[in-house]
Structure formats: structure tokens, C-alpha cells
Amino acid sequence: MKTHASPQAGAATVLSQLLTEHPEVTGLTWTVDLLGVLHGEVHEEAGDGRIVDACAEILGGTAAHTILTRAGDRLGLAQLATTWRDVPVHVWASYPQAPAGGLR
């Protein structure tokens, strides 16, 4: 990656490359923070966070999946923290989980 005037410009360039080279990575909302970290996130109504696994295949790294329980509700969370083309990337998805022991 070329050196850019700001970390945000570098991350924006990498985001453009990612979306151009991998149009199958859809449904994520992408942002760039002040430090030039590229963030992708999605709150799914259904699913299992596979978009994060797909990003791990493209960007490298390993997606972590966990289930959070609060007041009887279960929420799945998939996360990936990696570096792609010298830019730090964090991707995560949240999605509903069936209660333990069966479906609702």
C-alpha cells in the first residue's frame, strides 16, 4: 500500500479495494475511525454471522463466535480483528440465537 497523508485516507483506499475486488462482501456498514481503523458491522435479524467468516477468508485471521445471554435472551456475536494491506480491520456481526435447548 502507498503511504497516504492520513491514516483515514489509507483505510479509505483499502476499503475501496476490498469492495471492488470482493463485491460478495455485502450487507456490512463500513466506517473509518480517526486512527485509520476500518470497521465493518451488521446487526442481522436472522443468520449466524457467516459474513464475518467470509471476511476472514478474504482478509486473513480467524473469526471468533460467541453467544451472550441476558435476561433469557440469547445473542450471537461474530468478530474478526486482522490487518489487511497494512490497515487494521475489525468486523463484527450480531444476530439472534435460539434459546438453549431448542427453538422459540
Side-chain angles (χ1 to χ4, degrees), residues 1 4-13 32-37 87:
M1 183 179 82
H4 296 278
S6 73
Q8 297 93 350
T13 298
V32 175
D33 71 18
L34 293 174
L35 299 175
V37 178
V87 171

Side-chain angles (χ1 to χ4, degrees), residues 30-95:
W30 293 97
T31 58
V32 175
D33 71 18
L34 293 174
L35 299 175
V37 178
L38 182 57
H39 298 273
E41 66 181 74
V42 64
H43 302 280
E44 299 176 312
E45 296 295 323
D48 55 12
R50 287 187 189 171
I51 186 68
V52 178
D53 296 320
C55 286
E57 289 180 23
I58 293 165
L59 305 172
T62 302
H65 293 259
T66 190
I67 298 172
L68 307 171
T69 303
R70 183 174 157 219
D73 290 329
R74 291 166 44 97
L75 179 70
L77 182 64
Q79 302 177 74
L80 171 67
T82 192
T83 300
W84 194 61
R85 299 185 180 170
D86 297 326
V87 171
V89 181
H90 296 162
V91 181
W92 64 273
S94 62
Y95 47 92

